[in-house]
Amino acid sequence: MQKSYHVDEKGYYGQFGGSFVPEMLYPNMKILQESYLKIMNEPSFQEEFHSLLKDYVGRPSPLYLAKRLSEKYGAKIYLKREDLNHTGAHKINNTIGQILLAKRLGKKKIIAETGAGQHGVATATVCALAGMQCTVYMGAIDIERQAPNVARMKMLGAEVVPAMSGSKTLKDATNEAIRAWISDPVNIHYIIGSVVGFHPYPDMVARFQSVISEEMKWQLKEKENTENPDYIIACVGGGSNAAGAFYHYLDQEQVGLIAVEASGRGVDSGASAATSVLGKEGIIHGSKTLLMQTEDGQIIEPYSISAGLDYPGVGPQHAYLFESGRAEFLNATDDEAMKAGLELCKLEGIIPAIESSHALAALSKKRFKKDDIVVVNLSGRGDKDLDTYIKYFDL
Ligand SMILES: *Cc1c(COP(=O)(O)O)cnc(C)c1O
């Protein structure tokens, strides 16, 4: 049998994945596991999903041949412009899908976790769209650091609840969200923001994000007369934009998949988020994956200049893509990413999110052939990062 990089019936990718949940959530998890594909495959669901992606999100996102960037790196470099989506990143693809699913499951309330606030904003947005009550859990420290996104969520009608436990950041917000869910699992749907968590979340989120590679196929066919690029490059925090950009190419082994993690101040600096290199097998938020942890299993606080990449784990599919060698995992430091981000501004007139700048930084780490077709998934725009760019470059 051919090796599959997709989830199996038990919710595993190789040895990674699964569903390790508190007993109180078990019945709900079962319902979600048994119904998500059925609901997603209904023609009326597909129709509503794709119509919102088109008219609300603004899809398809362009596939843009970046001429000056191509010249610089000696290959044909295309940018998949997720930065042009409504709310400025790929995250809205997933939240639109999940809000439609929540409605069909008869849910009354939505909860979400957020780190930098990007997923919180994308969730608050679709809750406004659907007229659903929305509570976003956010680390108390992140609330201080990300004031504009907190304001956005409030304007969109969401309640923002500070997570006061632990390091008061993303993983603590996730723990709070799970606690809140346990208090009312029948009425609440939890919109997770990446390909992490217990089965079916990693597969469900990857499927909603797979619209990225679905579009890439026909866009490349139009422009290059082939559906397959030589390489696809995407940054990985939890891994949802990469999962979406890789999805329809997983079984096309001739397409090189490159995942770029954030190595912060350097892989060995103690201030990094390069999970695949530094991580060991462990369980976080309901799934078995690669996880940055101490000898006795305490989670190590990740660091990156980019708030969207500092998750201590990666989704279970990425752990498997790493371990099986199907995807090549590179990493970029803060400095490399910031330089690559500024380079895109100067060469192409596009200000990227700092997360996406990590993917761009991988261009200088590879040797391409002149005719190679390389797609960089530009996961988001840089408006939210202006403060960081200003401080870093003393602008
Ligand atoms: C949140 C975010 C990411 C990281 O999340 P993934 O699930 O790894 O995609 C990357 N880029 C942008 C612009 C983001 O907002």
Side-chain angles (χ1 to χ4, degrees), residues 167 169 171-172 175 280 282-285 290-302 310-313:
S167 54
T169 57
K171 87 177 151 47
D172 313 289
N175 291 336
K280 293 197 190 62
I283 290 174
I284 184 168
H285 302 136
L290 290 171
L291 183 59
M292 294 185 0
Q293 52 188 313
T294 60
E295 287 290 321
D296 44 1
Q298 293 297 310
I299 288 165
I300 295 173
E301 199 58 33
D310 63 355
Y311 187 68

Side-chain angles (χ1 to χ4, degrees), residues 121-200:
V121 169
T123 302
T125 299
V126 298
C127 286
L129 180 71
M132 293 265 261
Q133 194 186 323
C134 180
T135 306
V136 179
Y137 294 85
M138 189 169 185
I141 289 184
D142 289 333
I143 287 183
E144 261 169 56
R145 289 194 290 205
Q146 310 290 341
N149 274 342
V150 175
R152 283 187 187 103
M153 287 183 266
K154 288 183 177 164
M155 287 182 74
L156 293 162
E159 184 192 2
V160 181
V161 176
M164 307 298 290
S165 62
S167 54
K168 303 188 174 76
T169 57
L170 177 60
K171 87 177 151 47
D172 313 289
T174 307
N175 291 336
E176 293 293 327
I178 291 173
R179 247 191 295 273
W181 196 15
I182 289 172
S183 75
D184 188 7
V186 176
N187 290 311
I188 292 177
H189 177 69
Y190 178 15
I191 299 190
I192 294 184
S194 191
V195 284
V196 300
F198 58 79
H199 179 62

Side-chain angles (χ1 to χ4, degrees), residues 14 24 32 43-44 61 80 87 127 159 178 193 268 288 329 370 394:
M24 290 283 291
L32 197 57
S44 70
S61 69
K80 183 60 174 155
T87 70
C127 286
E159 184 192 2
I178 291 173
D268 300 316
K288 192 190 288 179
F329 278 67
K370 194 99 198 83
D394 208 6

Side-chain angles (χ1 to χ4, degrees), residues 88-91 118-119 193-195 235-242 308-309 353-356 379-381 384:
H90 65 290
K91 289 202 171 71
Q118 294 303 108
H119 174 57
S194 191
V195 284
C235 66
V236 171
S240 68
N241 85 86
L309 298 183
I354 298 175
E355 291 86 353
S356 318
S379 56
R381 68 177 88 123
K384 69 183 178 62

Side-chain angles (χ1 to χ4, degrees), residues 166-357:
S167 54
K168 303 188 174 76
T169 57
L170 177 60
K171 87 177 151 47
D172 313 289
T174 307
N175 291 336
E176 293 293 327
I178 291 173
R179 247 191 295 273
W181 196 15
I182 289 172
S183 75
D184 188 7
V186 176
N187 290 311
I188 292 177
H189 177 69
Y190 178 15
I191 299 190
I192 294 184
S194 191
V195 284
V196 300
F198 58 79
H199 179 62
Y201 279 102
D203 184 51
M204 182 167 76
V205 176
R207 283 170 187 266
F208 287 138
Q209 292 293 358
S210 72
V211 64
I212 298 172
S213 48
E214 191 183 310
E215 290 173 1
M216 269 161 54
K217 283 193 131 174
W218 63 256
Q219 289 172 321
L220 280 172
K221 183 80 189 162
E222 258 179 34
K223 292 172 197 293
E224 294 287 343
N225 201 28
T226 170
E227 291 187 340
N228 296 343
D230 296 286
Y231 297 97
I232 301 169
I233 305 178
C235 66
V236 171
S240 68
N241 85 86
F246 295 170
Y247 193 89
H248 291 286
Y249 293 105
L250 288 169
D251 297 325
Q252 253 80 58
E253 303 263 358
Q254 73 273 30
V255 178
L257 307 178
I258 300 175
V260 188
E261 295 182 311
S263 49
R265 299 200 180 94
V267 172
D268 300 316
S269 66
S272 158
T275 313
S276 66
V277 195
L278 298 171
K280 293 197 190 62
E281 199 176 298
I283 290 174
I284 184 168
H285 302 136
S287 85
K288 192 190 288 179
T289 188
L290 290 171
L291 183 59
M292 294 185 0
Q293 52 188 313
T294 60
E295 287 290 321
D296 44 1
Q298 293 297 310
I299 288 165
I300 295 173
E301 199 58 33
Y303 163 80
S304 163
I305 193 167
S306 144
L309 298 183
D310 63 355
Y311 187 68
V314 285
Q317 185 180 40
H318 290 294
Y320 185 57
L321 293 176
F322 172 73
E323 207 205 46
S324 64
R326 173 63 186 97
E328 180 181 1
F329 278 67
L330 303 177
N331 53 71
T333 62
D334 288 356
D335 291 335
E336 290 168 335
M338 295 303 279
K339 238 182 71 203
L342 192 62
E343 181 179 81
L344 190 74
C345 301
K346 308 276 190 212
L347 287 182
E348 298 290 344
I350 297 170
I351 302 176
I354 298 175
E355 291 86 353
S356 318
S357 299

